Amino acid sequence: MCGIVAIVGKKPVSQAIYDALTILQHRGQDAAGIVTYGEGGLHVRKSTGLVRDVFHQRHMLRLTGNIGIGHIRYPTAGGSQPFEAQPFYVNSPYGICLAHNGNLTNYDELAELLTRQDRRHLNTGSDSEVLLNVFAHEIQNSADGRPVPEQIFDAVEAVHRRCRGGYAVVALVIGHGVVAFRDPNGIRPLIMGEKETEAGTEYMVASESVALNVLQFGKIRDVRPGEAVFIDKDGNFFSHDYSGETRNSPCIFEFVYFARPDSIIDNLSVYKARLRMGEQLAGKIVREWPDHDIDVVIPIPDTSRTSAVQVAYHLGVKYREGFIKNRYIGRTFIMPGQAERALSVRRKLNAIDLEFRNKNVLLVDDSIVRGTTSRQIIKLAREAGARKVYFASAAPPVRYPNVYGIDMPAASELIANGRSTEEIQEIIGADRLIYLDLHGLIRSVRHDNSDIREFDTSCFSGEYVTGDVTKEYLLELAQERNDHAKVLRNASLHELAGLDIIDDDEQEAGAGGDEESMSDPGTAVGM
């Protein structure tokens, strides 16, 4: 899962893009990047790390221009190295920079066709680079001279025909404007807004509405499945609906975990959805365990708080904050590697003993994916003196890999895969385990938008909306992207790059080698 943003403004946009990326930081903590364009040419800064660590004052001063795009990365494909940071760039045609959220399920096929048939070179193992080259190839075929909106939309239509999977994209066509589009199934979110200024209308596209809100852009609407929008450098707005088949199937895990509660996705409030998840979960507890002996409900901060409040209310028991969170530790789910996740739990959470001592505690979490965090948290609760520790998940069991941009590639790493609730309960060490049912989750999320008939629930149901995910594909994906494979790949890349023996300034220069590759005649590139 990643976060993307694009702004076409009437004044320099680098600070606004920086602010938007900090707002979207929860969507990825591996790398960040900004590209801007103005009279001084093209300017870029990208590297691994949090937004606040990647961009210093000297970088911001060089990111001039009234048009730009930004990206924060959470790696699913590729590695965790500076040269994997986005936006990516190709110099033909026109010069195009692209940032992408999602995952292409036909990456291997596309990569082969690009190199063999389209005569394009790929520098990384990222599907985002593949998507960029497909778009660049198609716009080169459709445009003659200065690209007009119809030619850009033809290129996006071709991208949809060639690419499969879930993706939301922003692209800067240098000297012409910004393109944004969403996959035909609407799996990954994308929303657009506008702001009226004395100089004219400014436009913004982002992964979540909260970025628009904080920067005071009024919401226009969500980008429709398959739709492409183009905002030229003068601020003229154009849009085009995909002529092929579309279906609105947003990823339901956005509402469970990834999105901020103050976001609205496809006209659905994440906050209200999580409230109703708590109501549905409480209802299941009452039905299946009417004589429960729960003394207190305690959330696992932060994502589950909204649901936990409703669980406590409907059960008629106390709600307490039993864990204090160190906010300087990243989200454990998106940390690469099981060892890092396990170690980070104790660094991130500390129990308040008096809320646990001699009590029967119901811990509520948003979901259970690998089970590592749940097991560690239950252990913390017992050490704090809990008499019994019950555990509730505001989502169904995660039994299947997610292939559309969430790091759940290997079924063997999912604790619920092939196991019953009782078996999972024993592994994580709970006295009782309760999951929300899938139909309850769907009812919770869909409540306010009857236009949405279905969601991508693949990680819960094993049903993949793109229809092209086979057992062979899942097996290959698991072998390539499981935690062990990532550790080996990143260790190899780390050794080849020699990053373990250079200081921070030199590493910037090394990353800048990738940045400098954006340079072409007539453009200025700043680090």
Side-chain angles (χ1 to χ4, degrees), residues 253-267:
F253 209 74
E254 289 276 357
F255 298 88
V256 171
Y257 177 81
F258 272 104
R260 270 181 45 158
D262 46 346
S263 282
I264 307 291
I265 297 176
D266 289 304
N267 292 320

Side-chain angles (χ1 to χ4, degrees), residues 233-409:
K233 64 179 182 178
D234 298 318
N236 298 306
F237 180 93
F238 308 88
S239 68
H240 172 77
D241 286 319
Y242 181 43
S243 61
E245 182 182 355
T246 62
R247 53 197 288 198
N248 203 0
S249 306
C251 174
I252 206 164
F253 209 74
E254 289 276 357
F255 298 88
V256 171
Y257 177 81
F258 272 104
R260 270 181 45 158
D262 46 346
S263 282
I264 307 291
I265 297 176
D266 289 304
N267 292 320
L268 296 168
S269 165
V270 176
Y271 175 74
K272 286 187 177 181
R274 290 177 184 168
L275 281 176
R276 287 189 290 267
M277 289 177 208
E279 294 171 3
Q280 294 287 328
L281 186 57
K284 182 174 181 180
I285 293 172
V286 170
R287 289 192 305 272
E288 297 186 357
W289 192 15
D291 57 345
H292 70 79
D293 59 350
I294 300 168
D295 296 318
V296 62
V297 173
I298 293 177
I300 312 302
D302 287 317
T303 322
S304 63
R305 251 193 204 104
T306 311
S307 298
V309 168
Q310 289 298 91
V311 171
Y313 175 78
H314 288 280
L315 292 182
V317 302
K318 294 178 181 178
Y319 169 90
R320 291 290 185 268
E321 293 284 344
F323 293 106
I324 299 301
K325 181 180 179 180
N326 179 349
R327 301 188 180 280
Y328 300 97
I329 302 291
R331 302 179 86 178
T332 54
F333 176 87
I334 63 177
M335 287 184 173
Q338 199 79 312
E340 287 88 344
R341 298 183 197 106
L343 287 172
S344 71
V345 173
R346 285 187 174 271
R347 297 170 185 162
K348 184 168 74 169
L349 296 178
N350 189 49
I352 302 175
D353 291 6
L354 62 89
E355 296 296 354
F356 290 91
R357 193 175 301 122
N358 298 321
K359 296 178 182 177
N360 297 334
V361 178
L362 175 64
L363 302 180
V364 178
D365 208 349
D366 53 77
S367 59
I368 305 172
V369 180
R370 294 169 175 88
T372 308
T373 300
S374 304
R375 186 165 54 246
Q376 294 289 330
I377 289 173
I378 290 171
K379 187 177 180 181
L380 283 175
R382 293 197 189 281
E383 291 173 355
R387 185 188 305 117
K388 292 183 180 179
V389 182
Y390 307 122
F391 205 93
S393 167
V398 178
R399 301 189 186 279
Y400 305 95
N402 183 290
V403 301
Y404 301 128
I406 299 177
D407 193 19
M408 304 176 189

Side-chain angles (χ1 to χ4, degrees), residues 169-186:
V169 174
V170 291
L172 169 61
V173 183
I174 296 172
H176 301 288
V178 163
V179 186
F181 55 92
R182 193 179 182 191
D183 67 84
N185 293 294

Side-chain angles (χ1 to χ4, degrees), residues 7-183:
I7 298 179
V8 178
K10 299 299 181 180
K11 59 183 182 298
V13 297
S14 60
Q15 185 62 53
I17 294 175
Y18 175 94
D19 293 340
L21 293 182
T22 61
I23 296 162
L24 298 173
Q25 185 76 83
H26 60 282
R27 300 185 65 85
Q29 301 170 1
D30 181 71
I34 295 176
V35 170
T36 60
Y37 181 78
E39 291 183 0
L42 181 69
H43 306 276
V44 58
R45 167 62 183 168
K46 59 176 184 172
S47 188
T48 54
L50 299 175
V51 174
R52 68 186 181 206
D53 299 322
V54 170
F55 301 100
H56 302 152
Q57 184 178 19
R58 65 183 184 277
H59 305 129
M60 299 302 295
L61 290 173
R62 296 168 183 165
L63 290 170
T64 58
N66 295 355
I67 301 176
I69 63 175
H71 183 270
I72 50 102
R73 183 169 189 261
Y74 144 69
T76 51
S80 297
Q81 301 296 330
F83 56 81
E84 298 281 2
Q86 296 183 39
F88 286 127
Y89 170 86
V90 291
N91 68 353
S92 176
Y94 314 113
I96 301 173
C97 301
L98 180 143
H100 161 233
N101 171 33
N103 183 60
L104 301 183
T105 54
N106 61 336
Y107 164 83
D108 291 336
E109 172 191 337
L110 288 171
E112 180 183 356
L113 286 173
L114 281 169
T115 54
R116 177 172 51 83
Q117 182 174 301
D118 296 346
R119 303 291 194 270
R120 286 186 169 268
H121 175 71
L122 300 175
N123 292 308
T124 72
S126 172
D127 59 338
S128 302
E129 188 187 13
V130 164
L131 202 157
L132 166 61
N133 277 275
V134 170
F135 177 62
H137 177 78
E138 296 300 336
I139 199 172
Q140 186 166 343
N141 286 344
S142 63
D144 181 17
R146 179 184 177 88
V148 297
E150 289 76 14
Q151 294 169 331
I152 289 175
F153 295 146
D154 286 344
V156 175
E157 289 245 350
V159 169
H160 290 330
R161 289 192 295 269
R162 294 183 65 177
C163 297
R164 297 193 299 270
Y167 50 90
V169 174
V170 291
L172 169 61
V173 183
I174 296 172
H176 301 288
V178 163
V179 186
F181 55 92
R182 193 179 182 191
D183 67 84

Side-chain angles (χ1 to χ4, degrees), residues 441-517:
L441 175 61
I442 293 173
R443 189 160 54 246
S444 300
V445 178
R446 182 177 174 265
H447 187 273
D448 288 333
N449 190 347
S450 59
D451 293 335
I452 294 180
R453 299 297 180 184
E454 61 181 348
F455 291 91
D456 167 48
T457 62
S458 53
C459 58
F460 305 121
S461 65
E463 298 174 2
Y464 297 91
V465 298
T466 53
D468 62 331
V469 179
T470 63
K471 290 182 179 179
E472 293 74 19
Y473 173 81
L474 292 176
L475 179 61
E476 182 179 348
L477 191 72
Q479 292 172 341
E480 290 179 354
R481 300 189 192 173
N482 63 59
D483 281 343
H484 181 64
K486 285 181 180 177
V487 169
L488 292 177
R489 180 167 56 249
N490 285 328
S492 176
L493 290 171
H494 191 77
E495 182 178 355
L496 287 172
L499 297 178
D500 54 337
I501 58 173
I502 58 180
D503 62 25
D504 181 63
D505 288 338
E506 289 173 326
Q507 182 166 333
E508 280 190 21
D514 183 42
E515 294 171 4
E516 288 170 1
S517 68

